[in-house]
Amino acid sequence: MAAPSSPSGPTNRLGQEPSPYLRQHAHNPVDWFPWGEEALARAKAEDKPILLSVGYSACHWCHVMAHESFESPETARLMNEGFINIKVDREERPDLDQIYQGVVQLMGQGGGWPLTVFLTPDLKPFYGGTYFPPNDKYGRPGFPRLLASLRDAWVNKQDEIQKQARLFEEGLGELASYGLDAAPGALSAEDVVAIARSMAQQVDPVHGGFGGAPKFPNPMNLALMLRGWRRGGGAALKDGVFRTLERMALGGIYDQLGGGFHRYSVDERWLVPHFEKMLYDNAQLLHLYAQAQQVEPRPLWRKVVEETVEYVRREMTDAGGAFYAAQDADSEGEEGKFFVWRPEQIQAALPESQSELVLRHFRVTPAGNFEHGTTVLEVVLPSAELATQCGLSLEHVDRELAAARQTLFNAREQRVKPGRDDKILSGWNGLMIRGLALAARVFERPDWARQAAAAADFVLAKLWNGTRLARSYQDGQARIDGFLEDYGDLSSGLTALYQATFDVQYLEAAEALVRRAVELFWDAEKAAWLTAPRGQKDLVVATYGLFDNAFPSGASTLAEAQVELAALTGDKRHLELPEKYVARMREGLVKNAMGYGYLGLAADALLDGAAGVTFSGARDAVAPLLASANRVYAPTFAFGWREPGAPVPALLKDIFEGREPVGGRGAAYLCRGFVCERPLTDAEALAQRLAAPAGA
């Protein structure tokens, strides 16, 4: 765990918190409280405003503000005298983060972290922002000056503050349910194509990705472009996705030595990243690159998937099998220090023949491309061009580069590593389980399915008791009631895992989670999903899971899980709420597709009527059919199989009844809208049928 504050000095309340992010601030001179009854009661008792600071452990600018302000005794004095200071880990309380990011949006600013919001004792915001410098800078007021001004206003102009707070409360209420007053409508296949084409218009034609700098991967929107291509939207949609995936894989946003993707790049060409690595980014990108392999197999896709899975296994996996949340951007107090190189470091680590190839391959120069003459590794000269220029065979160059990369990786392992946030979040684990499960199928890697199953077993054993899903697991303790995204993400991951293992316990757990989510989060009046459990008492407004941001809304992953459950169980009731919700959100999805990418994926699957393939026959008999089907890009189809002769679980009774092998051969029953075609026994015929244009 990287600690932006000095480990010396007295420890405040945050030293007792499980969250690595909160513990990073344990030695600040600030009188920090965690969010909870003690802090909220103190604010009311002392009639002090609340200074709410929200961040996360891998956040670079959170560290900067901590060093500049929260470690300053003078700034801490201003904070302690005038405010009740509360630190929140946004990964533990996404509902609070969602609400109070709205303050910054209402002020006409972009959101982000650190989030700094000032609240009345009854939790109504009256001012906010993100990072504040110690002195007036970047067009922002210095933090000490802001503190003094707001304290004076609280003492001498409280009527104005209360008026501002009422306006913010009204605005937050409108933001929290934005779009839910639209008339329901039916989404069509033509809508999916139109949405994908509108996204494609925003793709950088040179470097891929959406827009300019800073540039984020946006995997769910790229995935939706592929859905539009599948529905006949034209080759430009696929080309835009592939250009993006290729440029990311060769750029600095991808860790060229250790695998895995950083959070985003600060430039338009994927070169210099913010170096933190988040589990949810790598989970979604793993899934997307596996789908790219189904669309058009390439060695680059395989390389990225294999290396990313290995990164997750090596750096982000708990001894019990579950996945950690994040890896920091900083080490030894410097952003990116662990990842960057100088020419002399490479020359010292490698024999001359290899170092010359590496320096040219990654264009490592004395001037560098990052701070202080260092270089972020990107593939500038591909191995084929390098071989031609050097008069060497491609096989020789590839062999030498592979050996050199391993040597440099080993050398890098001796450096001080970035801190790691070792929280285990049930929802984010669900996203990685989903990505690993698909990759296991596509690349025929049962060991990856076992890796996903180990994580699922951990989460189901430690964070789910059959009626309550906890959000976070830390230091042997499950904490905080799960939010909508936890139920949705984990349900989606478990349905994906069933299709990689055909172990029905994962499907049964997914259905139990979905049923419990309906009880906790579904608002029948608005036909929408609450973000936090109904009746949560510490929220100034009720929030709804609407937009898909860096990670998907729980409403979107829950809809995906429900559609797959319908296909895998034959229970039409699983489609009732996705149909209502997609109809409710249709206008927003069509008009603002970039904000609803994952919901678009669920809606697209819904169009195919709970499509599925049920395999019948012994394992060896269905293996060729299953292997062929797994290589096909058929993202709206869910796959089911059971061992012949084994008892049929009640959950699967409807789907397997009457579906038998044909003439002693394994058979595949392809179904849409709960109506099945004639069974197929030929693997190539099945692949062709799955690959046929949607709706054919």
Side-chain angles (χ1 to χ4, degrees):
M1 181 185 74
S5 58
S6 169
S8 62
T11 302
N12 58 41
R13 295 174 189 82
L14 302 187
Q16 304 303 312
E17 288 296 304
S19 161
Y21 173 63
L22 298 189
R23 291 203 305 265
Q24 285 177 356
H25 297 82
H27 298 283
N28 293 165
V30 178
D31 186 21
W32 287 118
F33 288 81
W35 183 275
E37 291 182 7
E38 181 186 1
L40 304 184
R42 181 75 68 88
K44 290 181 178 179
E46 298 184 12
D47 191 31
K48 280 185 177 180
I50 293 168
L51 191 168
L52 176 65
S53 177
V54 183
Y56 60 101
S57 67
C59 166
H60 172 68
W61 284 101
C62 299
H63 298 343
V64 172
M65 190 167 176
H67 283 305
E68 293 175 341
S69 295
F70 304 149
E71 294 174 15
S72 162
E74 179 56 26
T75 302
R77 182 186 64 80
L78 293 172
M79 294 172 67
N80 296 339
E81 290 177 357
F83 305 88
I84 299 299
N85 305 291
I86 300 180
K87 259 285 171 199
V88 166
D89 183 340
R90 63 113 176 181
E91 294 167 358
E92 288 191 331
R93 289 300 302 267
D95 56 334
L96 293 173
D97 183 57
Q98 178 186 347
I99 289 174
Y100 292 117
Q101 288 286 350
V103 174
V104 187
Q105 296 174 40
L106 290 169
M107 294 175 67
Q109 304 176 32
W113 301 275
L115 176 66
T116 310
V117 180
F118 297 85
L119 318 175
T120 66
D122 56 357
L123 307 183
K124 297 175 183 177
F126 59 88
Y127 191 81
T130 51
Y131 162 78
F132 289 100
N135 303 296
D136 295 2
K137 196 176 181 181
Y138 312 123
R140 303 172 188 229
F143 196 51
R145 184 167 73 84
L146 177 67
L147 293 171
S149 175
L150 291 177
R151 184 187 184 194
D152 177 71
W154 180 259
V155 173
N156 298 308
K157 302 176 183 177
Q158 196 167 134
D159 287 347
E160 294 182 19
I161 282 184
Q162 294 292 352
K163 180 180 178 181
Q164 185 68 29
R166 286 192 294 272
L167 292 173
F168 269 124
E169 185 181 17
E170 292 174 7
L172 291 178
E174 293 173 3
L175 277 179
S177 58
Y178 178 79
L180 293 182
D181 56 352
L187 191 82
S188 68
E190 291 74 20
D191 287 332
V192 173
V193 171
I195 288 168
R197 286 174 173 166
S198 71
M199 288 178 168
Q201 291 175 359
Q202 301 182 57
V203 171
D204 182 333
V206 177
H207 306 294
F210 298 103
K215 187 166 278 184
F216 293 81
N218 276 312
M220 63 189 78
N221 291 339
L222 295 170
L224 189 51
M225 285 176 60
L226 281 183
R227 298 289 186 93
W229 166 77
R230 175 176 174 260
R231 293 198 180 274
L237 297 177
K238 183 191 77 171
D239 293 345
V241 174
F242 277 23
R243 183 184 309 112
T244 302
L245 296 184
E246 180 180 288
R247 298 317 306 165
M248 283 198 303
L250 300 177
I253 192 173
Y254 183 69
D255 183 349
Q256 298 295 333
L257 296 183
F261 289 87
H262 301 292
R263 176 79 273 269
Y264 65 94
S265 69
V266 301
D267 52 74
E268 78 284 351
R269 68 183 189 90
W270 308 112
L271 172 58
V272 176
H274 259 311
F275 289 90
E276 63 262 35
K277 290 180 179 177
M278 310 302 295
L279 184 67
Y280 58 77
D281 285 322
N282 285 284
Q284 293 176 83
L285 288 165
L286 180 61
H287 194 275
L288 181 57
Y289 276 90
Q291 287 192 321
Q293 178 75 5
Q294 290 177 315
V295 173
E296 184 180 299
R298 291 188 183 183
L300 183 59
W301 310 153
R302 179 181 291 273
K303 173 179 178 291
V304 166
V305 170
E306 290 177 345
E307 291 176 354
T308 299
V309 174
E310 174 58 21
Y311 158 71
V312 171
R313 185 203 63 77
R314 183 182 71 244
E315 301 289 346
M316 299 292 282
T317 303
D318 176 78
F323 304 119
Y324 299 135
Q327 207 171 23
D328 209 336
D330 301 7
S331 55
E332 299 182 86
E334 294 184 29
E335 185 183 14
K337 183 174 182 179
F338 179 78
F339 299 99
V340 297
W341 293 85
R342 299 177 187 275
E344 59 268 24
Q345 292 173 315
I346 290 174
Q347 291 164 336
L350 299 173
E352 184 176 356
S353 60
Q354 287 184 357
S355 67
E356 286 305 307
L357 289 174
V358 166
L359 292 174
R360 296 177 68 178
H361 183 57
F362 293 125
R363 193 183 287 164
V364 183
T365 67
N369 59 25
F370 188 52
E371 299 169 351
H372 314 302
T374 59
T375 295
V376 178
L377 300 184
E378 65 164 341
V379 177
V380 178
L381 197 63
S383 56
E385 294 180 34
L386 191 59
T388 300
Q389 289 187 12
C390 296
L392 300 169
S393 72
L394 177 59
E395 292 77 9
H396 174 79
V397 168
D398 282 340
R399 186 167 57 249
E400 290 295 288
L401 286 176
R405 287 175 69 241
Q406 185 61 52
T407 301
L408 292 177
F409 171 79
N410 293 339
R412 195 180 76 174
E413 285 291 281
Q414 305 309 307
R415 298 177 179 178
V416 176
K417 288 191 174 185
R420 182 173 59 200
D421 189 322
D422 59 0
K423 282 196 310 296
I424 293 166
L425 298 173
S426 54
W428 293 10
N429 269 256
L431 293 176
M432 182 54 74
I433 290 166
R434 173 180 179 264
L436 276 171
L438 179 66
R441 291 166 49 196
V442 173
F443 293 96
E444 298 185 279
R445 291 290 300 266
D447 54 322
W448 294 352
R450 289 192 293 272
Q451 190 175 344
D457 293 344
F458 183 100
V459 173
L460 292 174
K462 303 291 187 181
L463 288 96
W464 170 241
N465 65 7
T467 59
R468 173 187 179 271
L469 177 66
R471 174 163 179 81
S472 179
Y473 185 89
Q474 190 93 30
D475 297 337
Q477 179 185 3
R479 304 173 58 250
I480 306 170
D481 284 349
F483 297 97
L484 178 67
E485 69 178 67
D486 297 303
Y487 283 81
D489 296 356
L490 185 57
S491 299
S492 176
L494 292 172
T495 59
L497 182 57
Y498 166 76
Q499 295 172 72
T501 63
F502 298 119
D503 187 336
V504 74
Q505 69 165 317
Y506 300 122
L507 201 61
E508 291 170 338
E511 188 185 54
L513 284 161
V514 165
R515 292 190 185 282
R516 185 63 175 138
V518 173
E519 296 170 0
L520 291 173
F521 303 103
W522 178 248
D523 184 331
E525 182 180 349
K526 290 188 179 292
W529 295 94
L530 291 160
T531 302
R534 189 178 289 104
Q536 183 112 359
K537 297 189 184 336
D538 58 359
L539 304 180
V540 67
V541 296
T543 59
Y544 291 86
L546 302 175
F547 294 101
D548 298 310
N549 297 303
F551 42 85
S553 160
S556 301
T557 51
L558 200 61
E560 178 180 67
Q562 288 170 310
V563 174
E564 293 207 328
L565 279 168
L568 293 167
T569 66
D571 188 345
K572 298 179 182 180
R573 291 174 295 181
H574 284 301
L575 296 183
E576 292 175 3
L577 297 188
E579 287 173 346
K580 288 181 181 178
Y581 184 64
V582 169
R584 166 65 68 206
M585 301 305 297
R586 187 254 176 201
E587 182 177 318
L589 181 56
V590 171
K591 290 184 177 179
N592 182 23
M594 294 294 289
Y596 298 98
Y598 206 108
L599 181 61
L601 301 177
D604 179 63
L606 193 60
L607 287 173
D608 280 355
V613 179
T614 303
F615 295 89
S616 180
R619 185 178 296 271
D620 289 346
V622 302
L625 291 167
L626 188 59
S628 179
N630 281 333
R631 288 192 292 269
V632 176
Y633 177 66
T636 62
F637 282 86
F639 295 171
W641 175 78
R642 70 175 181 88
E643 191 77 51
V648 180
L651 189 65
L652 300 179
K653 183 176 181 297
D654 290 343
I655 210 70
F656 284 104
E657 188 172 359
R659 299 179 191 176
E660 302 293 338
V662 176
R665 302 176 65 188
Y669 292 79
L670 191 152
C671 311
R672 287 188 182 90
F674 308 103
V675 176
C676 296
E677 302 176 7
R678 293 173 63 85
L680 297 170
T681 57
D682 179 74
E684 183 58 33
L686 174 60
Q688 291 176 2
R689 191 72 192 101
L690 286 170

